[in-house]
Amino acid sequence: MTRNTEDSAADVVGMWVTADGHIRQELRADGRYDEARGNRHSAYTGRYTVTGSHIDYVDDSGFTATGDIRDGVLHHEHLVLYREEQQV
């Protein structure tokens, strides 16, 4: 994964979900993502790169998308995703 700093990647790695839980996007530490939509697991998969708070996505099918982290919220194209809280 290409990134500005190690901290940039640490800030995005994990599960991000829409408020209704319909869309779940896992950003993995290896620079890959896996997005589920409803009951459709792995609806979109591909790789991502982080530059500061900006994310560039390249889907395995070839299309591209972007996202930005603002105030701890992931704005990915028309979606708003929140970091899923981990149960300890």
Side-chain angles (χ1 to χ4, degrees):
M1 170 174 50
T2 304
R3 57 185 170 232
N4 275 353
T5 67
E6 289 295 321
D7 291 338
S8 294
D11 289 342
V12 302
V13 170
M15 186 65 73
W16 295 83
V17 299
T18 54
D20 64 4
H22 182 74
I23 298 173
R24 301 174 55 80
Q25 186 179 93
E26 180 186 12
L27 299 179
R28 300 183 347 206
D30 65 358
R32 300 278 305 162
Y33 71 89
D34 190 313
E35 184 175 303
R37 293 187 172 229
N39 293 329
R40 189 173 164 211
H41 300 283
S42 299
Y44 298 100
T45 59
R47 58 187 166 81
Y48 71 94
T49 57
V50 178
T51 305
S53 62
H54 181 79
I55 304 172
D56 288 297
Y57 297 85
V58 178
D59 190 80
D60 289 339
S61 68
F63 77 84
T64 61
T66 62
D68 291 288
I69 304 287
R70 294 192 302 268
D71 297 322
V73 177
L74 172 54
H75 298 266
H76 171 61
E77 298 297 331
H78 66 282
L79 301 173
V80 177
L81 298 109
Y82 303 90
R83 189 179 297 275
E84 183 175 71
E85 296 298 323
Q86 301 262 338
Q87 298 295 325
V88 181

